[in-house]
Amino acid sequence: MALLQRVAEQGRRVVHFTLDGRPAEALEGDTVLTAMLTNGERLRRSEFAGSPRAGFCLMGACQDCWVRTEEGERLRACGSFIADGMRLLSEGEWGGGLSGEGSS
Amino acid sequence: MGRRIERGGVVVTAELPTAKLPTAELPPVIVGAGPAGIRAAERLVAAGLRPVVVDEAARWGGQIYRQPPEAGGPGGGFTRPKSALYGFEAGKADAVHRAMAAIRDRVDYRPRTLAWNCEAGALDLLCDGESLVQPFSRLILATGATDRVLPFPGWTLPGVFTLGGSQVALKFQGCAVGRRVAFLGTGPLLYLVAYQYLKAGVEVAGVFDTTPFAVQARAMAGMLRDPSTLAKGLLFVGWLRAHGVPVHNGVRPLRAEGTERVEALAWRYADGREHRVSCDAVAFGLGLRSETQLADLAGCRFRFDAADRAWLPERDGAGRSSVAGVYLAGDGGGIAGADAAELAGERAAFALLEDLGRPVDAARVRELDRRLGGIATFRRSLNAAFPFPADWAATVADDTMICRCEGVTAGALRGVARSGQAREINRAKALTRTGMGRCQGRMCGATAAELLAQALGTGPDGVGRLRAQPPIKPLPVAATPSPLAGARSGREVA
Ligand SMILES: Cc1cc2nc3c(=O)[nH]c(=O)nc-3n(C[C@H](O)[C@H](O)[C@H](O)COP(=O)(O)OP(=O)(O)OC[C@H]3O[C@@H](n4cnc5c(N)ncnc54)[C@H](O)[C@@H]3O)c2cc1C
Ligand code: FES
């Protein structure tokens, strides 16, 4: 079930992306974080006992919202906007953002 | 095309200014386009200067007056009016937004641009993956603040968000962080955001304030001096109670429960009685902490501020730091709220103009000084009404994760203190990695200082100050870490 709940601004254009390979929908102007958490419950699993993470500050301070794309790109989910065709991953354990980690 | 250079221990390909301008001709640079930065820019423009205004965000407004993403494309964008977004503050938000719009073509505005380092009279900027070295002779830092937090078991679970973050979700994205949200912590934002959620139709499971009721009631008396703010505070609390929202005072969290996401919040009163409330989200914050990293890298002298319980860059009443040509304005120099930020931004711009030998409007400067003085009094009463829970650190269990980035536990930090290995925060950081991760101590800094101080039997002023390191936020892969940098800072940047 989704973590974030839409309560306003629902008249925006629909954007299509994939989450862990499955088709998903978001709205134009959503951050990657909003897109993922209105479709799921986490952004990634951390390297610490595989515990799920879903961001914390939503304003670029905590750096706990780094996510990966299928292409291996890393995005800070609260500061990036969703776009048509993005292929995002919430599976797999990694530390988020730092070089080397989780790329295997 | 840029040149490969090393800046702050990071190798970047950066655009360098081609011809070296005489220092006097460099435009003033402002970091931050919130209320402080915008009012500073406005005043500099009025004096005929063309400041560079840098902000990481895509639109101006800062935290409190943050604007939703630009309406775009077919299907329409964000449509809520300012009255819905900013409530009582809509008029002020609109005035600040308009002030920036009015000077838009007379400032060199750089949105989506992070200032990630400051050294030798130049800032390092990163915009859309491109690095740029921006030299300055005058710099106004208006970098604002983010939530101050302390850890509790379960605080990394999906569904636990900061109070500010919960407000960002609503204001900036039209989303609630859950269906049934518990509000935990202290400070004016606690009641404000709970009120905003309730108004947006979200169920509020309760407000859990760490401040005892008697303390708050006593402090409210001091706030009577500012009737508008008091009225607002009372309105929020009154509205919440009238809508059946339980408001608990003198609370300490026990844990956020759940495995994959939050299912409940367990808490206790000071007397030990334990309670549990079911919820699918916790919005959490203990006031705000200033963004001071750039001031640190610019070489500003810091002092411990007892009111903010934090190390802050020294500034005089006008906003001058200890470094000539570097000014501080707004919450980035100490927490005083949005109205003060506007005044301080304008005041810092006047200081800059005075230092350039330009004429200034002395009557306006006196007026600003008078109003900033009044706000200092109000700030003291706010701190009294929502005090930092100083006993919290002592109660954090050893197995609680205090650092979200590096997974460090409270026990590990206490360990290096008790064994005598670390009597100072930067040493504790080197030994445990607390504060060394991606957030650079923004989330764990307060905790580390409190824990270390408590373990050493001193105060948070007695354990030193966590030093900032470039890049102050992680850079995307385009900027590659220097082999030297890894060795020097003991961490990698991506
Ligand atoms: C979510 C939230 C809600 C708040 N609500 C209220 C409220 O209702 N009432 C109130 O009085 N106060 C509120 N505050 C406190 C708030 O910080 C101040 O009131 C006000 O926003 C301070 O203005 P400022 O200009 O100092 O900083 P801010 O408004 O925080 O603006 C700082 C700007 O600097 C930018 N910035 C910072 N560092 C960098 C960098 N390195 N590179 C590039 N850009 C950078 C940020 O992107 C931001 O836009 C709130 C704070 C938060 C976090
Ligand atoms: S959620 Fe904190 S940086 Fe994105």
Side-chain angles (χ1 to χ4, degrees):
Chain A
M1 207 184 71
L3 205 63
L4 297 192
Q5 308 296 326
R6 293 192 192 276
V7 295
E9 310 277 18
Q10 305 198 44
R12 289 172 282 144
R13 187 180 73 82
V14 173
V15 175
H16 299 271
F17 70 106
T18 69
L19 184 56
D20 301 321
R22 287 183 294 280
E25 289 184 353
L27 299 178
E28 185 171 45
D30 279 357
T31 61
V32 167
L33 183 142
T34 300
M36 290 178 77
L37 297 183
T38 49
N39 282 279
E41 297 188 337
R42 64 165 180 275
L43 298 174
R44 68 170 205 281
R45 287 193 181 279
S46 85
E47 69 277 41
F48 311 118
S51 59
R53 293 288 173 93
F56 185 49
C57 74
L58 272 59
M59 58 180 86
C62 76
Q63 312 297 327
D64 209 359
C65 67
W66 287 80
V67 300
R68 287 188 302 171
T69 67
E70 286 180 21
E71 295 77 22
E73 196 189 346
R74 296 117 205 271
L75 298 171
R76 199 177 72 202
C78 73
S80 317
F81 288 102
I82 192 75
D84 277 304
M86 273 187 168
R87 306 182 66 79
L88 301 164
L89 296 173
S90 72
E91 311 277 8
E93 294 174 16
W94 66 301
L98 299 190
S99 55
E101 283 175 327
S103 51
S104 54
Chain B
M1 282 285 91
R3 251 179 51 204
R4 278 173 69 81
I5 51 161
E6 187 185 320
R7 298 279 305 171
V10 179
V11 173
V12 291
T13 308
E15 296 295 336
L16 292 174
T18 38
K20 208 163 160 55
L21 285 172
T23 310
E25 288 175 26
L26 289 171
V29 177
I30 300 171
V31 181
I38 289 175
R39 291 303 182 191
E42 185 182 39
R43 182 50 67 190
L44 296 180
V45 165
L49 299 177
R50 186 182 172 82
V52 176
V53 179
V54 174
D55 199 301
E56 203 187 346
R59 300 184 75 186
W60 60 73
Q63 293 295 6
I64 174 169
Y65 306 137
R66 180 191 289 260
Q67 302 188 68
E70 204 99 56
F78 291 80
T79 54
R80 276 176 299 173
K82 289 187 185 180
S83 57
L85 288 172
Y86 309 111
F88 296 111
E89 317 298 337
K92 288 181 195 166
D94 191 49
V96 168
H97 294 159
R98 279 174 194 273
M100 185 64 180
I103 56 168
R104 176 66 192 84
D105 57 356
R106 283 170 288 165
V107 296
D108 181 354
Y109 174 51
R110 316 267 186 86
R112 299 187 314 283
T113 303
L114 172 72
W116 59 268
N117 184 26
C118 181
E119 61 185 47
L123 282 174
D124 288 287
L125 307 181
L126 186 82
C127 178
D128 298 335
E130 300 274 323
S131 286
L132 179 90
V133 179
Q134 175 67 50
F136 64 84
S137 64
R138 309 273 162 188
L139 173 67
I140 298 180
L141 295 173
T143 47
T146 66
D147 297 82
R148 174 168 57 184
V149 295
L150 290 176
F152 56 94
W155 73 305
T156 60
L157 267 181
V160 181
F161 291 98
T162 63
L163 271 173
S166 306
Q167 195 194 51
V168 169
L170 193 58
K171 220 191 274 188
F172 185 67
Q173 297 280 277
C175 285
V177 293
R179 288 176 195 279
R180 187 176 146 80
V181 185
F183 289 85
L184 168 70
T186 198
L189 267 184
L190 182 68
Y191 294 94
L192 173 65
V193 184
Y195 162 82
Q196 289 169 333
Y197 265 61
L198 200 65
K199 277 210 93 174
V202 184
E203 193 183 345
V204 175
V207 178
F208 304 88
D209 192 328
T210 56
T211 307
F213 183 75
V215 171
Q216 215 149 58
R218 223 179 302 133
M220 284 287 182
M223 290 161 80
L224 279 165
R225 284 195 202 88
D226 190 333
S228 63
T229 310
L230 180 71
K232 268 183 262 165
L234 291 178
L235 178 79
F236 298 144
V237 181
W239 175 283
L240 290 163
R241 287 193 197 276
H243 284 73
V245 173
V247 178
H248 303 277
N249 281 90
V251 164
R252 293 291 177 273
L254 292 169
R255 68 201 158 266
E257 297 179 354
T259 48
E260 287 294 299
R261 58 184 291 174
V262 172
E263 290 162 17
L265 173 70
W267 55 279
R268 64 170 172 80
Y269 281 117
D271 65 10
R273 277 176 294 152
E274 294 194 6
H275 302 267
R276 189 172 174 280
V277 60
S278 77
C279 57
D280 64 356
V282 178
F284 165 58
L286 295 162
L288 298 171
R289 48 153 289 283
S290 302
E291 274 288 299
T292 58
Q293 292 85 358
L294 288 177
D296 192 355
L297 296 176
C300 297
R301 201 163 51 230
F302 280 60
R303 64 178 170 79
F304 190 81
D305 183 277
D308 281 13
R309 218 176 161 87
W311 291 87
L312 295 176
E314 289 181 14
R315 57 171 164 176
D316 70 8
R320 289 179 188 87
S321 76
S322 64
V323 175
V326 178
Y327 307 82
L328 302 152
D331 276 0
I335 306 302
D339 295 352
E342 283 191 55
L343 301 172
E346 186 179 357
R347 184 64 187 90
F350 272 128
L352 189 157
L353 292 168
E354 281 168 345
D355 296 348
L356 282 177
R358 303 242 179 170
V360 297
D361 177 346
R364 178 68 186 158
V365 169
R366 272 198 305 278
E367 164 76 4
L368 289 171
D369 286 342
R370 190 184 58 77
R371 290 172 62 190
L372 281 166
I375 278 167
T377 315
F378 174 66
R379 195 181 144 214
R380 274 193 294 277
S381 358
L382 258 193
N383 275 322
F386 303 104
F388 182 80
D391 61 305
W392 185 312
T395 65
V396 174
D398 273 348
D399 62 354
T400 303
M401 190 186 285
I402 61 168
C403 163
R404 303 173 71 92
C405 304
E406 302 284 334
V408 183
T409 60
L413 195 81
R414 287 190 179 116
V416 297
R418 293 200 176 125
S419 68
Q421 286 172 282
R423 305 198 60 78
E424 186 272 331
I425 193 121
N426 294 287
R427 180 82 188 129
K429 167 179 162 180
L431 290 170
T432 64
R433 301 187 67 79
T434 311
M436 202 182 267
R438 297 179 296 279
C439 87
Q440 287 241 345
R442 288 178 177 84
M443 297 298 123
C444 59
T447 310
E450 298 287 336
L451 277 179
L452 200 58
Q454 188 237 339
L456 295 170
T458 173
D461 54 336
V463 295
R465 178 173 64 85
L466 198 59
R467 282 188 296 272
Q469 279 179 338
I472 63 167
K473 289 189 183 181
L475 304 178
V477 275
T480 50
S482 145
L484 275 177
R488 200 178 309 155
S489 66
R491 64 186 279 264
E492 291 179 313
V493 258

